[in-house]
């Protein structure tokens, strides 16, 4: 369960989720939409996961694509749930391919 305080920190914030159409990414996207976030997902899959989520279709392994999407205006948070397409590769590199970056707690 995510605390109400954490969810409130995401209210009216712009959040970019990489791998946002995967099992974990789509759950995070739905939770943050319910918390009032402005959510955009980046994914290799071209599927719509939630009517309130914006979707950018592309490959994060493409450096120029990454430069373009990280010009995202006023980004408050990045949640990286993208992983390698190969399970074996994903397990070997899990610490590098699954990180959560949340905004610092309010002062």
């Amino acid at each position: 369960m995510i605390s109400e305080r954490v969810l409130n920190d995401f209210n009216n914030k712009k959040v970019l989720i990489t791998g946002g159409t995967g099992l974990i990414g789509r759950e995070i996207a739905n939770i943050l939409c319910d918390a009032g976030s402005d959510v955009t997902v980046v994914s290799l899959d071209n599927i719509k996961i939630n009517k309130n989520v914006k979707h950018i279709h592309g490959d994060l392994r493409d450096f120029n694509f990454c430069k373009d999407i990280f010009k995202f205006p006023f980004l408050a948070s990045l949640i990286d749930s993208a992983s390698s397409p190969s399970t074996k590769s994903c397990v070997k590199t899990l610490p590098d391919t699954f990180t959560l970056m949340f905004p610092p707690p309010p002062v």
Side-chain angles (χ1 to χ4, degrees), residues 26-67:
R26 79 176 54 199
E27 286 303 313
I28 295 169
N30 289 327
I31 289 168
L32 292 178
C33 279
D34 291 345
S37 296
D38 179 4
V39 177
T40 301
V41 299
V42 178
S43 176
L44 287 170
D45 300 317
N46 200 6
I47 60 173
K48 189 79 172 153
I49 61 164
N50 180 316
K51 67 179 178 154
N52 298 316
V53 173
K54 296 175 203 75
H55 186 272
I56 300 172
H57 179 257
D59 190 344
L60 292 168
R61 295 171 295 179
D62 177 344
F63 182 68
N64 289 322
F65 174 75
C66 288
K67 285 193 321 187

Short mmCIF file of all heavy atoms in Angstrom, two decimals, residues 26-67:
data_model
loop_
_atom_site.label_atom_id
_atom_site.label_comp_id
_atom_site.label_asym_id
_atom_site.label_seq_id
_atom_site.Cartn_x
_atom_site.Cartn_y
_atom_site.Cartn_z
N ARG A 26 2.38 -0.31 -15.99
CA ARG A 26 0.97 0.07 -16.15
C ARG A 26 0.27 0.20 -14.80
O ARG A 26 -0.61 1.05 -14.64
CB ARG A 26 0.23 -0.87 -17.09
CG ARG A 26 -0.19 -2.18 -16.52
CD ARG A 26 -1.01 -3.03 -17.47
NE ARG A 26 -0.30 -3.21 -18.73
CZ ARG A 26 -0.88 -3.58 -19.85
NH1 ARG A 26 -2.15 -3.83 -19.89
NH2 ARG A 26 -0.18 -3.74 -20.95
N GLU A 27 0.66 -0.60 -13.81
CA GLU A 27 0.09 -0.45 -12.47
C GLU A 27 0.51 0.88 -11.85
O GLU A 27 -0.31 1.57 -11.23
CB GLU A 27 0.48 -1.62 -11.57
CG GLU A 27 -0.24 -2.89 -11.89
CD GLU A 27 -1.76 -2.75 -11.83
OE1 GLU A 27 -2.29 -2.19 -10.85
OE2 GLU A 27 -2.42 -3.20 -12.79
N ILE A 28 1.78 1.22 -12.01
CA ILE A 28 2.26 2.51 -11.50
C ILE A 28 1.50 3.64 -12.18
O ILE A 28 1.06 4.60 -11.53
CB ILE A 28 3.78 2.65 -11.71
CG1 ILE A 28 4.54 1.61 -10.88
CG2 ILE A 28 4.25 4.06 -11.38
CD1 ILE A 28 6.01 1.50 -11.23
N ALA A 29 1.34 3.55 -13.50
CA ALA A 29 0.62 4.59 -14.25
C ALA A 29 -0.81 4.74 -13.74
O ALA A 29 -1.29 5.87 -13.53
CB ALA A 29 0.62 4.26 -15.74
N ASN A 30 -1.50 3.64 -13.53
CA ASN A 30 -2.88 3.71 -13.04
C ASN A 30 -2.96 4.32 -11.64
O ASN A 30 -3.83 5.14 -11.36
CB ASN A 30 -3.53 2.32 -13.05
CG ASN A 30 -3.80 1.84 -14.47
OD1 ASN A 30 -4.10 2.63 -15.36
ND2 ASN A 30 -3.71 0.54 -14.67
N ILE A 31 -2.04 3.91 -10.77
CA ILE A 31 -2.02 4.46 -9.40
C ILE A 31 -1.79 5.97 -9.44
O ILE A 31 -2.46 6.73 -8.75
CB ILE A 31 -0.95 3.76 -8.55
CG1 ILE A 31 -1.38 2.32 -8.24
CG2 ILE A 31 -0.66 4.53 -7.26
CD1 ILE A 31 -0.27 1.44 -7.66
N LEU A 32 -0.82 6.39 -10.26
CA LEU A 32 -0.50 7.83 -10.31
C LEU A 32 -1.61 8.63 -10.98
O LEU A 32 -1.87 9.78 -10.59
CB LEU A 32 0.83 8.05 -11.00
CG LEU A 32 2.03 7.53 -10.20
CD1 LEU A 32 3.33 7.74 -10.97
CD2 LEU A 32 2.11 8.19 -8.83
N CYS A 33 -2.28 8.07 -11.97
CA CYS A 33 -3.45 8.74 -12.55
C CYS A 33 -4.52 8.95 -11.48
O CYS A 33 -5.09 10.04 -11.38
CB CYS A 33 -4.03 7.95 -13.71
SG CYS A 33 -3.17 8.18 -15.26
N ASP A 34 -4.78 7.91 -10.70
CA ASP A 34 -5.76 8.02 -9.62
C ASP A 34 -5.34 9.05 -8.58
O ASP A 34 -6.19 9.64 -7.91
CB ASP A 34 -5.97 6.66 -8.94
CG ASP A 34 -6.69 5.65 -9.84
OD1 ASP A 34 -7.27 6.07 -10.87
OD2 ASP A 34 -6.66 4.45 -9.51
N ALA A 35 -4.02 9.25 -8.43
CA ALA A 35 -3.51 10.23 -7.47
C ALA A 35 -3.52 11.65 -8.04
O ALA A 35 -3.14 12.59 -7.36
CB ALA A 35 -2.09 9.85 -7.04
N GLY A 36 -3.92 11.79 -9.31
CA GLY A 36 -4.02 13.12 -9.90
C GLY A 36 -2.80 13.56 -10.67
O GLY A 36 -2.65 14.74 -10.99
N SER A 37 -1.91 12.64 -11.02
CA SER A 37 -0.72 12.98 -11.80
C SER A 37 -1.05 13.10 -13.28
O SER A 37 -2.00 12.50 -13.77
CB SER A 37 0.35 11.89 -11.64
OG SER A 37 0.79 11.81 -10.32
N ASP A 38 -0.23 13.86 -13.96
CA ASP A 38 -0.27 13.96 -15.42
C ASP A 38 0.76 12.96 -15.92
O ASP A 38 1.96 13.23 -15.91
CB ASP A 38 0.08 15.39 -15.84
CG ASP A 38 0.09 15.60 -17.34
OD1 ASP A 38 -0.24 14.66 -18.09
OD2 ASP A 38 0.45 16.71 -17.77
N VAL A 39 0.31 11.78 -16.35
CA VAL A 39 1.20 10.65 -16.63
C VAL A 39 1.41 10.47 -18.13
O VAL A 39 0.47 10.48 -18.91
CB VAL A 39 0.62 9.34 -16.04
CG1 VAL A 39 1.50 8.14 -16.39
CG2 VAL A 39 0.45 9.45 -14.53
N THR A 40 2.69 10.29 -18.49
CA THR A 40 3.07 9.92 -19.84
C THR A 40 3.92 8.66 -19.74
O THR A 40 4.79 8.58 -18.88
CB THR A 40 3.89 11.04 -20.52
OG1 THR A 40 3.11 12.22 -20.57
CG2 THR A 40 4.31 10.64 -21.93
N VAL A 41 3.65 7.68 -20.61
CA VAL A 41 4.47 6.48 -20.63
C VAL A 41 5.25 6.42 -21.94
O VAL A 41 4.80 6.92 -22.96
CB VAL A 41 3.64 5.17 -20.46
CG1 VAL A 41 2.92 5.16 -19.14
CG2 VAL A 41 2.68 4.95 -21.60
N VAL A 42 6.44 5.84 -21.85
CA VAL A 42 7.27 5.59 -23.03
C VAL A 42 7.42 4.08 -23.12
O VAL A 42 7.74 3.43 -22.13
CB VAL A 42 8.67 6.23 -22.88
CG1 VAL A 42 9.53 5.91 -24.08
CG2 VAL A 42 8.55 7.72 -22.68
N SER A 43 7.18 3.54 -24.32
CA SER A 43 7.22 2.09 -24.45
C SER A 43 7.45 1.68 -25.89
O SER A 43 7.13 2.42 -26.82
CB SER A 43 5.89 1.52 -23.97
OG SER A 43 5.84 0.13 -24.16
N LEU A 44 8.00 0.47 -26.05
CA LEU A 44 8.10 -0.14 -27.37
C LEU A 44 6.74 -0.61 -27.86
O LEU A 44 6.51 -0.73 -29.06
CB LEU A 44 9.05 -1.34 -27.32
CG LEU A 44 10.53 -1.03 -27.19
CD1 LEU A 44 11.30 -2.31 -26.91
CD2 LEU A 44 11.04 -0.37 -28.45
N ASP A 45 5.83 -0.89 -26.93
CA ASP A 45 4.49 -1.35 -27.29
C ASP A 45 3.63 -0.14 -27.63
O ASP A 45 3.67 0.87 -26.94
CB ASP A 45 3.84 -2.10 -26.12
CG ASP A 45 4.62 -3.32 -25.71
OD1 ASP A 45 5.08 -4.04 -26.61
OD2 ASP A 45 4.79 -3.53 -24.50
N ASN A 46 2.84 -0.28 -28.66
CA ASN A 46 1.97 0.81 -29.07
C ASN A 46 0.54 0.48 -28.65
O ASN A 46 -0.33 0.26 -29.48
CB ASN A 46 2.07 1.02 -30.59
CG ASN A 46 1.60 2.38 -31.00
OD1 ASN A 46 1.28 3.22 -30.17
ND2 ASN A 46 1.52 2.60 -32.29
N ILE A 47 0.34 0.43 -27.32
CA ILE A 47 -0.99 0.12 -26.78
C ILE A 47 -1.40 1.20 -25.80
O ILE A 47 -0.56 1.84 -25.17
CB ILE A 47 -1.03 -1.26 -26.10
CG1 ILE A 47 -0.06 -1.34 -24.94
CG2 ILE A 47 -0.78 -2.37 -27.08
CD1 ILE A 47 -0.16 -2.61 -24.12
N LYS A 48 -2.70 1.41 -25.68
CA LYS A 48 -3.25 2.41 -24.77
C LYS A 48 -3.62 1.69 -23.48
O LYS A 48 -4.41 0.75 -23.49
CB LYS A 48 -4.48 3.04 -25.42
CG LYS A 48 -5.03 4.21 -24.69
CD LYS A 48 -4.22 5.44 -24.98
CE LYS A 48 -4.92 6.65 -24.38
NZ LYS A 48 -4.05 7.72 -24.05
N ILE A 49 -3.04 2.13 -22.36
CA ILE A 49 -3.28 1.43 -21.09
C ILE A 49 -4.35 2.09 -20.23
O ILE A 49 -4.93 1.47 -19.37
CB ILE A 49 -1.98 1.28 -20.27
CG1 ILE A 49 -1.40 2.63 -19.93
CG2 ILE A 49 -0.99 0.40 -21.00
CD1 ILE A 49 -0.38 2.58 -18.83
N ASN A 50 -4.58 3.38 -20.46
CA ASN A 50 -5.52 4.13 -19.63
C ASN A 50 -5.88 5.38 -20.42
O ASN A 50 -5.00 6.03 -20.99
CB ASN A 50 -4.84 4.47 -18.30
CG ASN A 50 -5.71 5.25 -17.34
OD1 ASN A 50 -6.40 6.19 -17.71
ND2 ASN A 50 -5.65 4.87 -16.08
N LYS A 51 -7.14 5.74 -20.44
CA LYS A 51 -7.56 6.91 -21.23
C LYS A 51 -6.93 8.22 -20.74
O LYS A 51 -6.85 9.18 -21.48
CB LYS A 51 -9.09 7.04 -21.25
CG LYS A 51 -9.67 7.36 -19.89
CD LYS A 51 -11.17 7.49 -19.93
CE LYS A 51 -11.62 7.76 -18.50
NZ LYS A 51 -12.81 8.46 -18.37
N ASN A 52 -6.44 8.23 -19.51
CA ASN A 52 -5.82 9.44 -18.95
C ASN A 52 -4.31 9.49 -19.10
O ASN A 52 -3.67 10.42 -18.63
CB ASN A 52 -6.19 9.57 -17.47
CG ASN A 52 -7.68 9.71 -17.28
OD1 ASN A 52 -8.33 10.46 -17.99
ND2 ASN A 52 -8.23 8.96 -16.35
N VAL A 53 -3.73 8.45 -19.70
CA VAL A 53 -2.27 8.37 -19.84
C VAL A 53 -1.88 8.71 -21.27
O VAL A 53 -2.41 8.16 -22.23
CB VAL A 53 -1.78 6.94 -19.49
CG1 VAL A 53 -0.30 6.78 -19.79
CG2 VAL A 53 -2.05 6.63 -18.02
N LYS A 54 -0.92 9.63 -21.41
CA LYS A 54 -0.36 9.92 -22.73
C LYS A 54 0.67 8.85 -23.05
O LYS A 54 1.31 8.32 -22.15
CB LYS A 54 0.30 11.30 -22.73
CG LYS A 54 -0.66 12.44 -22.49
CD LYS A 54 0.10 13.74 -22.39
CE LYS A 54 -0.67 14.77 -21.63
NZ LYS A 54 -0.71 14.57 -20.19
N HIS A 55 0.85 8.54 -24.32
CA HIS A 55 1.76 7.46 -24.71
C HIS A 55 2.74 7.96 -25.76
O HIS A 55 2.34 8.61 -26.72
CB HIS A 55 0.96 6.28 -25.26
CG HIS A 55 1.80 5.09 -25.55
ND1 HIS A 55 2.43 4.91 -26.75
CD2 HIS A 55 2.13 4.03 -24.78
CE1 HIS A 55 3.10 3.77 -26.72
NE2 HIS A 55 2.94 3.23 -25.53
N ILE A 56 4.02 7.67 -25.54
CA ILE A 56 5.07 7.94 -26.53
C ILE A 56 5.63 6.59 -26.93
O ILE A 56 6.12 5.84 -26.09
CB ILE A 56 6.19 8.82 -25.95
CG1 ILE A 56 5.64 10.17 -25.48
CG2 ILE A 56 7.30 9.01 -26.98
CD1 ILE A 56 6.64 11.02 -24.72
N HIS A 57 5.53 6.28 -28.22
CA HIS A 57 6.04 5.01 -28.73
C HIS A 57 7.47 5.22 -29.19
O HIS A 57 7.75 6.12 -29.99
CB HIS A 57 5.16 4.53 -29.89
CG HIS A 57 5.61 3.25 -30.48
ND1 HIS A 57 6.28 3.21 -31.67
CD2 HIS A 57 5.51 1.98 -30.03
CE1 HIS A 57 6.55 1.95 -31.96
NE2 HIS A 57 6.10 1.19 -30.97
N GLY A 58 8.40 4.43 -28.66
CA GLY A 58 9.78 4.56 -29.09
C GLY A 58 10.72 3.64 -28.34
O GLY A 58 10.32 2.95 -27.40
N ASP A 59 11.97 3.66 -28.77
CA ASP A 59 13.00 2.77 -28.26
C ASP A 59 14.01 3.56 -27.44
O ASP A 59 14.74 4.40 -27.96
CB ASP A 59 13.69 2.08 -29.43
CG ASP A 59 14.62 0.96 -29.01
OD1 ASP A 59 14.97 0.89 -27.82
OD2 ASP A 59 14.97 0.15 -29.89
N LEU A 60 14.06 3.27 -26.15
CA LEU A 60 14.97 3.98 -25.25
C LEU A 60 16.44 3.65 -25.49
O LEU A 60 17.31 4.29 -24.93
CB LEU A 60 14.61 3.67 -23.79
CG LEU A 60 13.27 4.25 -23.34
CD1 LEU A 60 12.86 3.65 -22.01
CD2 LEU A 60 13.33 5.75 -23.27
N ARG A 61 16.71 2.66 -26.33
CA ARG A 61 18.10 2.35 -26.68
C ARG A 61 18.62 3.31 -27.74
O ARG A 61 19.82 3.33 -28.02
CB ARG A 61 18.21 0.91 -27.15
CG ARG A 61 17.88 -0.10 -26.05
CD ARG A 61 17.79 -1.49 -26.58
NE ARG A 61 16.65 -1.55 -27.50
CZ ARG A 61 16.28 -2.63 -28.17
NH1 ARG A 61 16.96 -3.74 -28.05
NH2 ARG A 61 15.23 -2.62 -28.96
N ASP A 62 17.73 4.11 -28.32
CA ASP A 62 18.09 5.10 -29.33
C ASP A 62 18.40 6.42 -28.62
O ASP A 62 17.52 7.08 -28.06
CB ASP A 62 16.93 5.27 -30.31
CG ASP A 62 17.16 6.34 -31.36
OD1 ASP A 62 18.07 7.18 -31.22
OD2 ASP A 62 16.40 6.33 -32.35
N PHE A 63 19.68 6.80 -28.62
CA PHE A 63 20.13 7.98 -27.88
C PHE A 63 19.38 9.25 -28.31
O PHE A 63 18.99 10.06 -27.47
CB PHE A 63 21.64 8.16 -28.04
CG PHE A 63 22.18 9.34 -27.27
CD1 PHE A 63 22.19 9.31 -25.89
CD2 PHE A 63 22.66 10.46 -27.93
CE1 PHE A 63 22.69 10.39 -25.16
CE2 PHE A 63 23.16 11.53 -27.22
CZ PHE A 63 23.16 11.50 -25.83
N ASN A 64 19.18 9.44 -29.60
CA ASN A 64 18.49 10.65 -30.08
C ASN A 64 17.03 10.68 -29.61
O ASN A 64 16.51 11.73 -29.27
CB ASN A 64 18.57 10.76 -31.60
CG ASN A 64 19.97 11.11 -32.03
OD1 ASN A 64 20.65 11.90 -31.39
ND2 ASN A 64 20.43 10.51 -33.11
N PHE A 65 16.39 9.51 -29.58
CA PHE A 65 15.03 9.43 -29.06
C PHE A 65 15.01 9.85 -27.59
O PHE A 65 14.15 10.62 -27.17
CB PHE A 65 14.48 8.01 -29.23
CG PHE A 65 13.15 7.80 -28.58
CD1 PHE A 65 11.99 8.31 -29.16
CD2 PHE A 65 13.04 7.10 -27.39
CE1 PHE A 65 10.76 8.13 -28.55
CE2 PHE A 65 11.81 6.91 -26.79
CZ PHE A 65 10.67 7.42 -27.37
N CYS A 66 15.97 9.35 -26.82
CA CYS A 66 16.06 9.71 -25.39
C CYS A 66 16.25 11.22 -25.20
O CYS A 66 15.62 11.82 -24.34
CB CYS A 66 17.18 8.95 -24.71
SG CYS A 66 16.83 7.21 -24.48
N LYS A 67 17.12 11.80 -26.00
CA LYS A 67 17.34 13.25 -25.89
C LYS A 67 16.04 14.00 -26.14
O LYS A 67 15.74 14.97 -25.45
CB LYS A 67 18.41 13.71 -26.88
CG LYS A 67 19.80 13.33 -26.45
CD LYS A 67 20.90 14.03 -27.23
CE LYS A 67 20.65 14.20 -28.69
NZ LYS A 67 21.80 14.72 -29.44
#
